[in-house]
Amino acid sequence: SNRDKVRGISATLIVKNGVLKAGSVAVSGDAISPIRIMENFAGKAIKEATPSMPVRIVGWDKEPEVGGLCFVFPSKKDAEKYIENDKNKKLSAKPSTSKSDMPINSMFIDESVKTKVIPLIVRADSSGSIEAVKYEITKIKVDRVELKVVQSGVGDINENDIKTALSVPGTIILGFTVKADGATKRFAEQHSIPINTFDIIYKLTEWLAEEAKNLAPKVKTEEQKGLAKVLKFFSAIRDKQVIGARVESGTLSINDEVKVMRRDFEVARGRIRELQHMKSKVGSIEEGKEFGAMVESKIELAPGDKLEAVHTVLR
């Protein structure tokens, strides 16, 4: 927000939801403005603005606080009523120490959840643009990743930003409608620090979301590829057992790792060493077929046991 001798007080906002239309009345805190003059990012007069659009509204009665929320009402009467109600709520509000009212930094963090924090340095051409970029970043949701803006500022990317990135490994530098001069670029290249600049917010967030996915910690998960039921036990030599079974779902193959399930509980792990179907050796066996197999297992298999073939994947 800023004050101009000729135009008066103006403020730049980013539309979060809904459609902003000329003729409405805007409220931010206790500042109010009829929306008569509304301009887009290029300074051109517009009649309406949709989500993610930055807009400038001219004609505020006082400067709205930067970072504050702005609400829009159909009439000045509705807007004034909202301001009055908001004041009354603040006056009657009592201090609260409940967990839900604590600052985010004070909230309990579940240490069992492994989350990677990716530090971000954000540079933009104005404070309004920085707030818009920060807000869009908060909408990026990637499992096991937290995007955290550790430094931001108005103006071009400079050597101090590069030094900060060097001191905090893994920091990503983002520039919105700004650039880096030759000296800064050379300094960044010498230290292998990428500089990422964008002119469109959604391009920035698209790139950042994809980068966050690539940097997310990989988690090992097991997927079932086949399930068989043991029908008969034939013989055993040390830990190798010959059994007859039927595939209930999926496919089982030679060298598959299997979980031995007994009454729905895993009792051991094993591995398929040989497969036979109709007295012929095969590499795999499909759903619905009966087969013979040599299974390597620490415990003796019994009719009724289930063999769950699994494989490990990184996600």
Side-chain angles (χ1 to χ4, degrees), residues 253-265:
S253 305
I254 291 177
N255 291 324
D256 274 352
E257 181 182 12
V258 292
K259 293 196 292 186
V260 180
M261 308 296 293
R262 185 167 291 168
R263 291 187 290 275
D264 297 326
F265 290 97

Side-chain angles (χ1 to χ4, degrees), residues 84-95:
E84 188 63 30
N85 289 339
D86 190 51
K87 284 181 180 177
N88 291 336
K89 284 180 182 178
K90 289 177 180 177
L91 288 172
S92 61
K94 295 180 180 179

Side-chain angles (χ1 to χ4, degrees), residues 8 20 28 38 41 49-50 75 96 129 143 209 232 288-289 305:
L20 189 63
S28 184
M38 182 166 59
F41 70 95
T50 53
S75 68
S96 173
S129 294
D143 287 344
K232 192 169 183 179
K289 292 182 178 179
D305 288 349

Side-chain angles (χ1 to χ4, degrees), residues 235-261:
S235 62
I237 302 176
R238 295 189 179 88
D239 59 352
K240 293 182 175 63
Q241 306 173 45
V242 178
I243 53 106
R246 180 176 59 249
V247 182
E248 293 190 335
S249 64
T251 302
L252 278 76
S253 305
I254 291 177
N255 291 324
D256 274 352
E257 181 182 12
V258 292
K259 293 196 292 186
V260 180
M261 308 296 293

Side-chain angles (χ1 to χ4, degrees), residues 122-127 129-130 133 153-156 174-178:
V122 178
R123 281 272 174 183
D125 59 340
S126 69
S127 60
S129 294
I130 288 174
V133 171
V154 176
D156 288 342
L174 299 169
F176 178 64
T177 62
V178 294

Side-chain angles (χ1 to χ4, degrees), residues 3-282:
R3 186 186 299 268
D4 184 272
K5 290 182 180 179
V6 178
R7 306 184 78 194
I9 301 172
S10 65
T12 304
L13 311 91
I14 186 82
V15 181
K16 293 172 68 174
N17 53 61
V19 178
L20 189 63
K21 295 183 179 181
S24 304
V25 180
V27 171
S28 184
D30 59 351
I32 189 169
S33 175
I35 305 177
R36 297 193 186 96
I37 303 175
M38 182 166 59
E39 300 169 343
N40 63 11
F41 70 95
K44 182 181 177 181
I46 56 175
K47 293 295 183 183
E48 66 176 37
T50 53
S52 296
M53 284 183 62
V55 294
R56 180 183 291 116
I57 296 175
V58 181
W60 295 83
D61 63 347
K62 62 179 69 176
E63 289 187 30
E65 183 181 348
V66 173
L69 292 175
C70 178
F71 300 94
V72 180
F73 299 88
S75 68
K76 187 176 181 181
K77 183 179 179 181
D78 292 325
E80 290 174 339
K81 184 177 179 181
Y82 168 80
I83 292 174
E84 188 63 30
N85 289 339
D86 190 51
K87 284 181 180 177
N88 291 336
K89 284 180 182 178
K90 289 177 180 177
L91 288 172
S92 61
K94 295 180 180 179
S96 173
T97 56
S98 68
K99 189 174 181 180
S100 61
D101 293 326
M102 293 168 66
I104 291 175
N105 291 340
S106 302
M107 292 294 283
F108 171 78
I109 297 174
D110 185 356
E111 297 294 339
S112 67
V113 179
K114 294 182 179 180
T115 299
K116 180 174 183 176
V117 177
I118 301 178
L120 306 175
I121 293 174
V122 178
R123 281 272 174 183
D125 59 340
S126 69
S127 60
S129 294
I130 288 174
E131 295 305 317
V133 171
K134 285 182 178 179
Y135 172 71
E136 291 300 315
I137 288 173
T138 64
K139 297 191 322 193
I140 298 174
K141 305 298 180 186
V142 177
D143 287 344
R144 302 180 295 279
V145 169
E146 178 189 349
L147 298 171
K148 186 174 183 179
V149 177
V150 296
Q151 182 171 297
S152 63
V154 176
D156 288 342
I157 297 165
N158 54 50
E159 288 191 18
N160 185 53
D161 298 322
I162 309 303
K163 290 176 181 177
T164 301
L166 281 170
S167 66
V168 186
T171 297
I172 294 176
I173 297 177
L174 299 169
F176 178 64
T177 62
V178 294
K179 56 185 179 180
D181 60 27
T184 300
K185 287 180 179 178
R186 287 191 294 274
F187 184 64
E189 288 171 359
Q190 287 170 7
H191 295 87
S192 301
I193 301 294
I195 294 175
N196 310 284
T197 57
F198 304 86
D199 293 323
I200 302 173
I201 287 183
Y202 82 83
K203 289 290 184 183
L204 182 154
T205 53
E206 278 184 353
W207 178 87
L208 184 57
E210 192 61 33
E211 188 71 5
K213 289 177 185 176
N214 294 334
L215 295 172
K218 303 302 181 186
V219 176
K220 288 183 178 181
T221 59
E222 283 188 343
E223 290 186 352
Q224 184 189 104
K225 64 184 293 285
L227 183 68
K229 182 177 181 179
V230 177
L231 302 177
K232 192 169 183 179
F233 175 83
F234 290 110
S235 62
I237 302 176
R238 295 189 179 88
D239 59 352
K240 293 182 175 63
Q241 306 173 45
V242 178
I243 53 106
R246 180 176 59 249
V247 182
E248 293 190 335
S249 64
T251 302
L252 278 76
S253 305
I254 291 177
N255 291 324
D256 274 352
E257 181 182 12
V258 292
K259 293 196 292 186
V260 180
M261 308 296 293
R262 185 167 291 168
R263 291 187 290 275
D264 297 326
F265 290 97
E266 180 182 335
V267 293
R269 293 262 172 155
R271 194 168 294 277
I272 297 174
R273 293 306 184 189
E274 289 184 20
L275 283 173
Q276 282 191 1
H277 178 61
M278 304 293 289
K279 298 184 179 180
S280 298
K281 289 187 177 182
V282 294

